[in-house]
Amino acid sequence: MARRLPPLNALPAFEAAARHLNFSRAADELNLTHGAISRAIKHLEDQLGVQLFERATRSVRLTPVGEPYAAAVREALDQLALATQTATSRHSGSTLNVSTSDGFAGKWLVPRLYRFHRAHGDIDVRVSTTGKLTNFRGDGIDVAIRYGGGHYHGLTSEFLTGEEVFPVCSPKLLKGPHPLRTPQDLKHHTLIRDGYRIDWAAWLASAGVEGVDPNSGLTFDSATFAVESAVQGEGVVLGRTMLVSADLATGRLVRPFDHALKAVSSFYLVYPPEAIRQRKVKAFRDWLFSEIEPAEVTERNSMILMR
């Protein structure tokens, strides 16, 4: 029995427009013009004999028919993309595309990747650093490591580790004319920050420190640069467990004080539910959890959160 199919070349345009509820953003994603998106959707509506969008002057929205159709088309395109990846990876080494933050990549992931390559030499890894949420299909990303609350709609989100936040510095700052011995000694040193949500003001207040300006010092957009500045003895940075553990272990950094704040957010491994059927994703997921230190996983929830 012959299948009744829609015009297949119109489906990516429809799915992107339905996801963004904006023809211009769909055009940018697919490298097409606004007119091309509009024509593709009009052609699809004509072929189906139904209206999929309600169009206003400055906005569009899905009709009661268009909304479930968009969900079905999205699932079909995801399945087709997965099948294509699976088919092509069987005949050659595959590439795993990982998205994460600059800090996590530079201070935790990259220094350990050689062990993944040693165990899985046929899987190439490409790391993309961004703080933005990932569009897995549109950006070509297989897995993401994200720092947040773990609630990512329609994706599998696995808890990796929680974090504490505490001052770290070069061992050089424990000596000299103003050695760091108590939090009050911070008034003699440069504070380094990276824009993280728990800032010096919060840590100083929780430690009962007065007379220290929390807004003074050096500011970096990159957590990697902020930590490296502290390693070089430029000042004291608020370190996060995952981002300073290696430097603490080698002695490049030290913790001058015990006081720490518990971070509200945590690190999560995030990917589309069907992606785990790919060997490269499963291999990376298993390796990643094996690399998490025992002390870092004491709070791991064994349940996989499906959002």
Side-chain angles (χ1 to χ4, degrees):
M1 181 178 177
R3 294 185 179 91
R4 184 195 172 197
L5 296 175
L8 299 182
N9 59 353
L11 296 184
F14 168 65
E15 189 280 329
R19 178 160 31 85
H20 292 293
L21 291 179
N22 185 291
F23 285 12
S24 295
R25 285 200 289 269
D28 290 341
E29 178 180 312
L30 299 177
N31 293 318
L32 297 173
T33 65
H34 182 284
I37 295 291
S38 181
R39 288 190 296 273
I41 293 172
K42 182 64 168 61
H43 179 53
L44 179 61
E45 289 177 323
D46 290 343
Q47 291 297 308
L48 297 179
V50 297
Q51 185 177 354
L52 300 172
F53 285 99
E54 293 181 2
R55 297 161 175 82
T57 303
R58 296 182 179 272
S59 64
V60 295
R61 65 179 180 179
L62 290 163
T63 65
V65 173
E67 190 165 352
Y69 191 65
V73 168
R74 183 173 302 117
E75 182 177 358
L77 291 176
D78 286 342
Q79 290 293 330
L80 182 59
L82 176 61
T84 301
Q85 290 176 346
T86 301
T88 55
S89 66
R90 287 174 180 169
H91 303 290
S92 62
S94 56
T95 299
L96 179 78
N97 293 286
V98 180
S99 173
T100 190
S101 65
D102 168 86
F104 188 87
K107 303 304 296 183
W108 194 93
L109 179 61
V110 172
R112 293 167 168 81
L113 267 181
Y114 74 94
R115 289 197 283 264
F116 180 80
H117 289 143
R118 184 182 297 166
H120 304 282
D122 62 326
I123 301 176
D124 295 326
V125 178
R126 292 178 181 169
V127 178
S128 172
T129 57
T130 177
K132 297 180 180 179
L133 294 179
T134 299
N135 174 358
F136 283 89
R137 185 158 55 78
D139 297 338
I141 298 298
D142 298 299
V143 297
I145 300 167
R146 283 288 169 261
Y147 189 71
H151 304 282
Y152 305 101
H153 179 71
L155 300 169
T156 297
S157 175
E158 294 192 74
F159 179 85
L160 284 174
T161 181
E163 282 204 305
E164 288 186 330
V165 181
F166 44 83
V168 294
C169 65
S170 165
K172 294 185 290 187
L173 299 192
L174 302 183
K175 304 174 184 178
H178 299 291
L180 277 170
R181 292 172 180 162
T182 71
Q184 200 67 40
D185 294 326
L186 288 168
K187 64 185 177 184
H188 301 296
H189 295 273
T190 300
L191 304 185
I192 302 171
R193 64 184 56 76
D194 64 1
Y196 178 59
R197 65 197 68 181
I198 296 181
D199 57 13
W200 274 110
W203 190 91
L204 291 169
S206 69
V209 178
E210 298 180 352
V212 176
D213 182 0
N215 299 312
S216 65
L218 298 172
T219 301
F220 295 90
D221 290 334
S222 165
T224 300
F225 294 160
V227 172
E228 190 59 31
S229 178
V231 167
Q232 298 304 319
E234 297 297 326
V236 187
V237 69
L238 276 180
R240 288 176 269 163
T241 308
M242 292 288 279
L243 304 191
V244 299
S245 59
D247 291 318
L248 288 172
T250 60
R252 283 165 33 102
L253 290 174
V254 294
R255 286 183 64 172
F257 325 118
D258 292 332
H259 182 65
L261 290 181
K262 177 68 177 175
V264 175
S265 298
S266 301
F267 283 100
Y268 291 85
L269 178 65
V270 183
Y271 51 86
E274 66 276 4
I276 198 63
R277 297 200 294 268
Q278 298 179 63
R279 184 181 65 86
K280 63 181 181 181
V281 173
K282 179 67 162 55
F284 183 77
R285 182 257 181 212
D286 293 346
W287 170 82
L288 189 64
F289 278 108
S290 72
E291 286 287 324
I292 301 292
E293 298 294 337
E296 294 170 341
V297 298
T298 54
E299 298 180 13
R300 182 187 301 164
N301 186 337
S302 61
M303 295 179 61
I304 295 177
L305 303 178
M306 296 296 297
R307 303 298 179 188

